[in-house]
Amino acid sequence: MVDFQPEKDLVRSYYAALDTATASESSDVMARFCAPDLIWRGMHPFDTLSGPEAVADRFWSPLKSALARMQRRMDVFMAGRNSLREDAAVWVSSMGHLMGLFDDAWLGIPPTRKIAMLRYAAFHRIEHGKIVETAMFFDIPALMMQAGLQPFPVQTGAQLVQPGPLPHDALMFAPQPPEDGAKTLATINAMISDLGQWQSGLPLEEELARTWHDDMIWWGPAGIGATYTIERYAKQHSGPFRAGLTDRSGTGHICRFAEGHYGGFFGWPNFTARPTGGFMGMPATGQPGEFRVVDIYRRKGDKLAENWVFIDLLHFWKTQGLDVLGRTVGI
């Protein structure tokens, strides 16, 4: 077994302290567990922050003030060495929802005084017993929709609060067989090789069937939505996505790893592409835009079965001259 227990224990302790801290205590918790020069990457309008105090003041304290009695509902927890770097730093990743009572406005989003669930995925790089780098993606448009707002035109995928993995086996607090993680990573890499080309010479559904089960589930971000089965995924997301964008750059990730039957990656950005019309119901801009993405995967057998996707769509459309957050909440 490959043992990432010290890193896992650190992040679990960090979560336990942070999740029980008040808004005003967030800075102290961040300072205890994170390096002074922490690099923190968050979705628009947060982008890149430096140092624990800035992250606490800009993100955690306002969020905790807005989502009263917030709790973390985690669906995935895993660790591994970054397969993309020779130093093979250890990263710990988690995914789930931050749930609370939406009692005060956040980012101009009006409170509902009801349960609200902020979907998130986080990657933490650990060195010398501290968190030195974090990428935390959170689906702000999904929260906007829970508040009755409509940030994007209605799309073809389903917009809903998303569940965790079907087998409910992704909270990997204990070590996992390394051969399982190696097989998952190889499957993810094969899928990336196909996806990154967009021109495999095969019809789209045949291309997808090389690395995906026919009953795949693609849990996409709010504004695009979730799809089920290769046939519907091709019609409701992958086909329109490829048709509405051109000049896709190569794929670039900061971190990619797998443990057990699960794996994932993030990039900053993952790739760039130019909208030529139709993507998310929007007109063409002709301007290249950045896609910052997190993907979490579940492997079943020799193929991928589920995929949870976070795309910083607010940032992408901001690069196209459209402030979706600002125009929707009136700030």
Side-chain angles (χ1 to χ4, degrees), residues 18 20-30 53 56-57 60-65:
L18 185 61
T20 55
T22 64
S24 62
E25 294 168 341
S26 299
S27 183
D28 290 340
V29 171
M30 294 284 298
E53 185 175 358
D57 290 348
W60 284 111
S61 292
L63 180 62
K64 281 177 167 287
S65 296

Side-chain angles (χ1 to χ4, degrees), residues 42-47 107 138 140 292 312 314-315 318 323 325:
M43 299 175 99
H44 176 79
F46 299 96
D47 298 308
L107 301 178
F138 29 90
I140 295 172
R292 299 171 175 173
D312 193 349
L314 298 180
H315 170 71
K318 194 74 183 291
D323 183 359
L325 178 64

